[in-house]
Amino acid sequence: KCRTGPLDIVFVIDSSRSVRPFEFETMRQFMMDIIGSLDVGPNATRVGVIQYSSQVQNIFSLKSFFTRADMEKAINSIVPLAQGTMTGLAIQYVMNVAFTTQEGARPLHKKIPRIAIIVTDGRPQDRVTEVATQARNAGIEIYAVGIQRADMNSLRAMASPPLEEHVFLVESFELIQQFGKQFQDKLCGVNTCMEQDHGCQHSCISTPGSFYCECNPGYRLNVDGKTCSPINACEDGRHGCQHQCVSTRGSYLCHCRAGYYLNQDKRSCSMIDYCSFGNHSCQHECVSIPNGHYCRCRSGFMLQPDSKSCRATDLCNGVDHGCDFKCVSTEGSYRCVCPEGQQLQADGKACSKCGAGHVDLVMVIDGSKSVRPQNFELVKQFVNRIVDLLEVSPHGTRVGLVQYSSRVRTEFPLNKYHSADEIKKAVMEVEYMEKGTMTGLALKHMVEHSFSELEGARPLSHNVPRIGLVFTDGRSQDDISEWARRAKESGIVMFAVGVGKAVEEELRAIASEPVEQHFSYSADFTTMTHLVDNFKLNICPEEGKGETEIRSPCECEALVQFQTNTVAILQSLTEKNILWAPSLAQMTARLEDLEKQIANK
C-alpha cells in the first residue's frame, strides 16, 4: 500500500463517444487499481471522480466516500456520456469546483498535494493550454495519461513539469492496467516520517519531501509544531451552556445549578418542579422554587400556621356567592349589592335590568397598540358591565361588537348571540389586535355593515333605537368627521367614551346632541367604571331617575311609614339639642294615640 501520507486525488475520465464500451471498462479498472493501492480515509488520502465529454459530470467528490468499497461501487455505476471531448472544460471544473474546501479538499496551508489524473483517448475540442496553466498555478499537480489516439501535444500542454514524470502515452486500452502498476510508484514516494526523527508527540503525517505533526482529538498543536496541549472547549465562550460549562478531553459538558435539570438539548436548564412530585399537601396552590417548594393561597385566603391549609379572609372570594353585580364581605358573611339605580331582587342576588325598551347596540372598541394588553382586558370588563345593564334577547336588546386598530374587525354582529351570558363569554374571548388607531375607518364600518339588516339590525320601520358606543384611548390617525356625521344622520345615537390620551374634540365630534349627555372621559383605565353609570343614565333614564309612588296618606302602611320617619327625624333633632324634651314627649304621645286608633279600626 501507498502510505507516504495523505493526498487529494481527482480522476478526470474521458467518456466521449470515441471511447467504446469495452474500452471504458478498462478505465474503470485502472481507477480501482490505483485506489486499491492508496490508504484512503478522512485523514488519509481522499479521492474524487469526474467524467466529461461535451459536459462535465461529478461522480463523487473528495468528501463523498472514505472507504474503497464505496468508491468502487460508485465507479462501477458510471454511465458514459458518449458525446464530445471538452477537456478544457473539465480542467476548469477541477480548478473551480472539485478542489475547493466545500467539496472536501484540505486547505492549502496543510500542504496536502492536490493531484488531478486526466485520462483521455483523443484530441480536445476546446483550448486546454491557458486553463491548465491556471490550474497548475493554483497548486494542482496534473498527470496527463493518453491512450491510443490521444494527442501528445495536448497532453504536454496539460501536464505539470517535469513533463517526463507527468505525461504518459499508453498504446492501447489493453495495456492500461499494466501502466497502472507503474503509475502507482509515481504517487507513492518516500515516507519521510519513517526516514527521520520527526519529534511529533502524537502523529506524524508524511508529505512529498516533508512531514507535519498532528494531535489526537481533544488536543491542539502547540507553537513548536510538535507537542500537543488539551483543548479547553469552555474557554472560547461558544459552548452555549446556560449555567455551567465543564471541560473534558477535547470536548465539554453542560451542568446545571442545584435545583435545575439539563434539558434534552444538553445546554439549557429548567427548574425542577417539586410540586409535580404530588407530595406537597398544599390546600390551594403549590409553587416550585430551586431546591424546594412553598404553598400559596388563592386571593381572599390566608395561609395558616401549618404552611399548607388556607382560610378565607374575604367570603366573597371563598364561596360561589352568585351575586348579579357585586358581592360585599361582612363579618362572617356577605351580601349582594346592585349598581346605583337598580334594585336587588327577591332572591337577594339578581339586579333589575334596563327597562327603557329594546335597542340595537353596537360597541366599537379601540384595540390599538397604545391600549396595551392589560388595559384591553379592562376594556372587555367595561363592555361586560354594560351588557349587565341590558335585557338581551332576540326580540329585546341586541348587542354587536367591533374592534379596530389599523384595520376593523367585527367580533360578533347583532344577530350572533341571544343572551347576556353568551355575549359576555364571547367578549372575554376577543383577541387584542394592536397596531394603529383608525377611528374614522371603524365608524365607516359601523355605519355600512354593523347596522345593516344582514348583520341583525332591525328595520328602521320597526322604530328600534340604534345606539353606537365608540371607545378610544387616543387621537385617530384618520379623519372621523365625515363618518361621525353620517352615523348621526342615519339615525344612530352616538356615545363617545374616552380614556387617557383621548382627544376631547374628537369625542365631541362623535357624540350625539346634547353632547354633554353623550360623551364621557376617564383619566385611566382603572378608574373608568363610573362611565358605565353615565352610559346607563342615558340609555336607561328611568332607572337613573327612579319613580315616586303616589299613595293615599290614610293607608295603614303609609301611616306606619310616616310614624317611623317622623320618630327618626325627631330623635336626630333631639341629639342636636334643637328640640326641648317636653315638646318631644308631647309629639310622641300624639303619635302613639294615632297608632291606637288605627289598630282599633
Side-chain angles (χ1 to χ4, degrees), residues 156-227:
R156 295 173 65 86
M158 292 186 286
S160 296
L163 296 179
E164 60 271 17
E165 294 184 9
H166 291 84
V167 177
F168 304 93
L169 184 62
V170 183
E171 293 180 0
S172 67
F173 283 92
E174 290 80 2
L175 298 176
I176 194 169
Q177 283 185 267
Q178 182 180 349
F179 162 74
K181 296 182 175 59
Q182 300 172 0
F183 189 73
Q184 292 170 19
D185 296 335
K186 294 290 182 183
L187 295 178
C188 300
V190 177
N191 188 334
T192 50
C193 289
M194 300 293 291
E195 295 294 319
Q196 55 184 291
D197 183 12
H198 52 75
C200 297
Q201 183 178 353
H202 286 179
S203 302
C204 174
I205 307 299
S206 178
T207 62
S210 185
F211 69 90
Y212 64 91
C213 298
E214 276 192 353
C215 296
N216 295 335
Y219 293 82
R220 67 164 62 92
L221 195 65
N222 294 327
V223 293
D224 62 5
K226 295 186 177 183
T227 59

Side-chain angles (χ1 to χ4, degrees), residues 502-569:
V503 180
E504 181 177 349
E505 179 184 355
E506 292 185 353
L507 297 176
R508 288 179 173 273
I510 294 171
S512 293
E513 296 288 345
V515 172
E516 299 301 330
Q517 293 182 14
H518 291 83
F519 98 94
S520 303
Y521 174 80
S522 179
D524 61 65
F525 289 87
T526 58
T527 61
M528 66 182 181
T529 52
H530 70 278
L531 302 181
V532 176
D533 296 331
N534 293 348
F535 184 70
K536 175 193 66 180
L537 291 173
N538 286 285
I539 66 169
C540 307
E542 75 284 359
E543 298 287 355
K545 296 175 183 176
E547 294 183 359
T548 303
E549 183 179 8
I550 307 301
R551 304 178 63 185
S552 171
C554 296
E555 289 184 6
C556 177
E557 293 85 353
L559 290 172
V560 173
Q561 184 65 44
F562 172 74
Q563 177 186 359
T564 302
N565 292 344
T566 303
V567 171
I569 293 171

